[in-house]
């Protein structure tokens, strides 16, 4: 029974996007890590299918069973190798087994498939995990890139130098690794390379973070000493990245509505050596921009709740088109409200908006709707001209990411910058689409959830990110020996 209790706990956190499944499993301190990881991973893969079966049979009405517990139990009963527990749960599931099997059979008939695995869209399987490399961000609060490379080489890895093209990342295998071609503090390893038990990870010297997820903080580029706000911060990887860019100097305000997610985030930041943060379990939409404590906030990162359609484990979920459309409209409305609210901070200079969604409704259309209202005060900044996947026309200043094009998870990034006094609204037409269908009337949905502004082509400045950070590396200390 302990296996299912812990699996349900990890599954719930994974579906709330608190962290990756591997990280959550390793942090769970469960005795049989492999067994727990296998159960949670497979249950997560079939999550939407399991929820439909459970809902159609009314299983949750029995003994007030919770959904995440029901998912792991029903997975093992219908898709796994049978229940591995006794007691009341086993009695309940065996009694309901005929109804559950009948619901599964009906679902296969409706979807015109024969095998269980055919219930999953091919895009939702592990294909993306087999393509996307393992990205490791060096935590410059504790060490520097050169010393991490030296440590890994002594640990049996082979460093192949700096990547010059995307194809260099595709060819990685074995224990070879390479420096990323865009982000200087990012090291790239073959897919599924596991660092969860490695000293550098456990000591907080490296952060396991997808490359696309590193883009928002890196592009926002707050200077040391600045006041920064992370609006929807948990699980905290982007927050720790912002702190590293600040060098723990200045102030980093971070908000998340869920106290449990914030507690997990606090642990992550402690391990990463972050000291400049001020965390609050608060709805960002209820934060008062005119509060004097936020009077010096000039940089803001907004990564609101989204559909998560860019994440590998979610692309295979099948939802009725009309239901999906309603859900995306509600999410987009919430995201637009967050973006409008963020622009109310009086000293704001630069804002990065990002999602792990592939849907234009949550990305370009939200940005476009905001620019229609605030285009006189803010402009869209062109980002990384060498990045091959761009925002949908005409918002090509934005970035998109995907496994096929950029070897990352699906992602979207846009940056807005306050116009200078008297600056002409040049190219305002470029930032306009036909009237966007985003409205902000929806309440927040229950999701599955110092530096001067750039005056000219911001693309040139984004290319200097690497140069700025490389000058700081030599000052960082070496990773401590494992016994320290």
């Amino acid at each position: 029974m302990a296996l299912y209790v812990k699996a349900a706990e990890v599954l719930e956190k994974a579906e709330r996007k608190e962290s990756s499944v591997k990280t959550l499993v390793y942090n769970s301190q469960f005795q049989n890590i492999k067994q727990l990881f296998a159960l949670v991973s497979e249950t997560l893969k079939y999550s939407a299918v399991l929820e439909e079966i459970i809902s159609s049979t009314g299983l949750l009405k029995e003994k007030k069973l919770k959904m995440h517990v029901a998912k792991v139990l029903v997975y093992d009963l219908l898709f796994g190798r049978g229940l591995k527990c006794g007691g009341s749960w086993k009695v309940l599931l065996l009694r309901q087994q005929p109804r559950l099997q009948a619901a599964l059979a009906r679902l296969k008939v409706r979807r015109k498939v024969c095998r269980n695995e055919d219930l999953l869209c091919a895009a939702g399987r592990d294909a993306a995990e087999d393509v996307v490399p393992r990205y490791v961000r060096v935590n410059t609060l504790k060490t520097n890139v050169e010393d991490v490379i030296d440590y890994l080489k002594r640990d049996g890895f082979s460093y192949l130098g700096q990547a010059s093209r995307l194809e260099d990342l595709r060819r990685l295998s074995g224990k070879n690794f390479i420096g990323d071609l865009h982000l200087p503090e990012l090291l790239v390893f073959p897919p599924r390379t596991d660092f969860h038990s490695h000293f550098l990870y456990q000591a907080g010297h490296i952060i396991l973070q997808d490359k696309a997820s590193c883009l928002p903080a890196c592009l926002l580029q707050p200077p040391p000493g600045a006041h920064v706000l992370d609006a929807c911060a948990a699980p905290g990887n982007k927050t720790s990245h912002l702190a590293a860019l600040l060098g723990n100097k200045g102030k980093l305000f971070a908000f998340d509505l869920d106290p449990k997610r914030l507690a997990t985030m606090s642990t992550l930041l402690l391990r990463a050596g972050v000291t400049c943060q001020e965390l609050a379990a608060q709805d960002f939409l209820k934060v008062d921009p005119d509060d004097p404590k936020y009077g010096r906030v000039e940089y803001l990162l907004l990564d609101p709740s989204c559909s998560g359609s860019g994440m590998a484990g979610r692309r295979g979920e099948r939802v009725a088109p009309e239901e999906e459309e309603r859900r995306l409209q509600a999410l987009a409305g919430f995201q637009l409200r967050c973006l409008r609210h963020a622009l109310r901070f009086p000293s704001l200079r630069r804002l990065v908006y990002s999602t792990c969604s592939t849907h234009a409704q949550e990305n370009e259309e939200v940005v476009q709707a905001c620019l229609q209202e605030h285009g006189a005060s803010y402009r869209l900044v062109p980002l990384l001209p060498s990045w091959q996947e761009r925002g949908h026309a005409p918002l090509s200043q934005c970035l998109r990411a995907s496994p096929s094009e950029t070897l990352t998870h699906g992602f979207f990034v846009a940056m807005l910058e306050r116009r200078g006094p008297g600056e002409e609204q040049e190219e305002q037409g470029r930032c306009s689409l036909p009237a966007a269908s985003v409205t902000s009337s929806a309440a927040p949905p229950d999701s599955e959830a110092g530096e001067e502004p750039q005056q000219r082509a911001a693309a040139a400045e984004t290319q200097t990110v690497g140069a700025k950070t490389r000058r700081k590396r030599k000052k960082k200390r070496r990773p401590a020996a494992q016994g320290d």
Side-chain angles (χ1 to χ4, degrees):
M1 188 173 290
L3 169 65
Y4 296 107
V5 171
K6 185 59 69 174
E9 178 184 317
V10 172
L11 178 67
E12 184 176 7
K13 291 180 179 179
E15 291 190 341
R16 290 203 307 254
K17 298 194 297 182
E18 289 191 14
S19 191
S20 69
V21 174
K22 281 186 179 179
T23 299
L24 292 169
V25 168
Y26 274 87
N27 290 344
S28 71
Q29 299 181 337
F30 188 72
Q31 187 174 4
N32 193 332
I33 292 293
K34 289 185 178 180
Q35 184 185 35
L36 180 62
F37 178 74
L39 178 57
V40 174
S41 298
E42 291 302 307
T43 303
L44 191 62
K45 186 190 302 183
Y46 282 90
S47 180
V49 175
L50 290 165
E51 189 163 340
E52 186 170 345
I53 292 171
I54 291 166
S55 299
S56 68
T57 57
L59 183 63
L60 297 185
K61 297 177 182 178
E62 298 280 348
K63 296 187 178 182
K64 298 181 180 179
L65 196 64
K66 293 183 178 179
M67 176 58 81
H68 293 94
V69 174
K71 282 183 179 180
V72 293
L73 288 168
V74 173
Y75 170 79
D76 251 2
L77 182 69
L78 297 183
F79 301 101
R81 298 183 178 180
L83 292 172
K84 304 175 184 68
C85 68
S88 59
W89 282 355
K90 185 171 185 177
V91 172
L92 169 62
L93 268 292
L94 292 179
R95 189 173 70 243
Q96 296 291 333
Q97 186 172 9
R99 294 175 62 192
L100 293 166
Q101 288 175 332
L104 174 60
R106 288 194 298 271
L107 185 59
K108 288 180 179 179
V109 171
R110 286 201 307 273
R111 296 191 180 178
K112 299 179 180 179
V113 299
C114 298
R115 301 177 303 169
N116 291 336
E117 53 266 34
D118 291 334
L119 290 169
L120 303 176
C121 175
R125 298 175 188 165
D126 293 335
E129 292 186 18
D130 292 329
V131 171
V132 176
R134 162 66 74 189
Y135 293 100
V136 170
R137 176 170 62 82
V138 175
N139 179 14
T140 55
L141 290 176
K142 289 193 167 186
T143 184
N144 61 60
V145 174
E146 288 81 3
D147 289 348
V148 168
I149 290 173
D150 287 344
Y151 191 100
L152 290 169
K153 286 164 68 176
R154 293 196 301 271
D155 201 30
F157 287 89
S158 298
Y159 179 56
L160 304 182
Q162 197 74 18
S164 59
R165 53 180 183 167
L166 203 61
E167 191 60 32
D168 295 338
L169 278 59
R170 296 184 196 274
R171 294 176 177 174
L172 289 172
S173 63
K175 299 196 76 172
N176 295 328
F177 72 106
I178 199 168
D180 184 67
L181 68 162
H182 293 105
L183 308 183
E185 281 143 11
L186 207 60
L187 301 176
V188 191
F189 297 78
R192 298 181 181 271
T193 304
D194 189 8
F195 281 99
H196 288 86
S197 59
H198 198 281
F199 163 69
L200 290 178
Y201 170 74
Q202 295 181 342
H205 289 206
I206 59 173
I207 310 292
L208 307 182
Q209 185 175 0
D210 185 64
K211 177 178 178 175
S213 176
C214 295
L215 289 172
C218 197
L219 292 169
L220 187 62
Q221 197 67 18
H227 283 211
V228 183
L229 193 149
D230 192 351
C232 307
N237 280 339
K238 297 182 189 69
T239 313
S240 70
H241 195 179
L242 288 169
L245 292 168
L246 290 172
N248 264 338
K249 297 174 182 177
K251 197 73 174 178
L252 178 52
F253 300 100
F255 300 93
D256 201 272
L257 185 59
D258 189 332
K260 291 183 179 179
R261 284 165 57 91
L262 206 69
T264 301
M265 174 178 165
S266 180
T267 301
L268 183 151
L269 296 181
L270 179 65
R271 183 171 62 190
V274 176
T275 59
C276 62
Q277 81 276 21
E278 182 175 317
L279 308 185
Q282 186 176 356
D283 183 353
F284 172 63
L285 289 171
K286 295 181 180 178
V287 175
D288 182 7
D290 296 318
D291 188 323
K293 73 187 295 183
Y294 308 124
R296 293 176 57 193
V297 170
E298 296 179 314
Y299 301 86
L300 194 149
L301 194 158
L302 176 61
D303 189 74
S305 296
C306 70
S307 64
S309 55
M311 305 304 290
R314 298 190 180 189
R315 287 193 293 272
E317 297 179 6
R318 295 191 181 189
V319 182
E322 59 274 12
E323 180 183 343
E324 178 73 356
E325 185 61 30
R326 285 194 300 269
R327 179 166 168 266
L328 290 176
Q329 285 180 357
L331 283 166
F334 167 65
Q335 292 151 356
L336 179 57
R337 290 176 63 196
C338 288
L339 190 49
R340 286 170 172 164
H341 188 70
L343 296 181
R344 290 179 53 204
F345 285 80
S347 299
L348 185 67
R349 293 185 176 193
R350 188 181 297 165
L351 176 147
V352 165
Y353 172 79
S354 63
T355 75
C356 54
S357 169
T358 59
H359 298 296
Q361 295 98 313
E362 300 178 88
N363 298 329
E364 290 89 353
E365 291 183 19
V366 169
V367 173
Q368 142 60 2
C370 181
L371 285 173
Q372 285 181 337
E373 301 171 8
H374 297 278
S377 302
Y378 288 89
R379 61 175 178 170
L380 197 58
V381 178
L383 302 174
L384 289 178
S386 61
W387 192 267
Q388 62 190 74
E389 191 169 7
R390 314 302 303 184
H392 293 170
L395 301 189
S396 59
Q397 302 96 322
C398 307
L399 304 183
R400 277 181 167 267
S402 64
S404 60
E405 296 295 326
T406 60
L407 294 183
T408 67
H409 292 299
F411 219 80
F412 173 84
V413 187
M415 184 155 73
L416 300 179
E417 187 175 74
R418 190 186 292 273
R419 296 179 182 275
E423 183 182 354
E424 293 182 1
Q425 298 180 31
E426 55 188 71
E427 301 186 40
Q428 186 173 4
R430 279 182 60 191
C431 299
S432 298
L433 287 169
S437 58
V438 178
T439 62
S440 60
S441 58
D446 183 12
S447 175
E448 291 178 27
E451 182 179 341
E452 290 301 319
Q454 300 163 324
Q455 299 299 317
R456 302 193 185 279
E461 181 170 350
T462 57
Q463 292 291 65
T464 67
V465 167
K468 291 180 181 179
T469 52
R470 288 189 188 99
R471 289 195 292 268
K472 300 175 185 177
R473 290 183 192 152
K474 299 292 185 181
K475 301 178 182 179
K476 302 297 179 180
R477 61 182 179 274
R478 291 180 173 272
Q482 187 159 352
D484 290 351

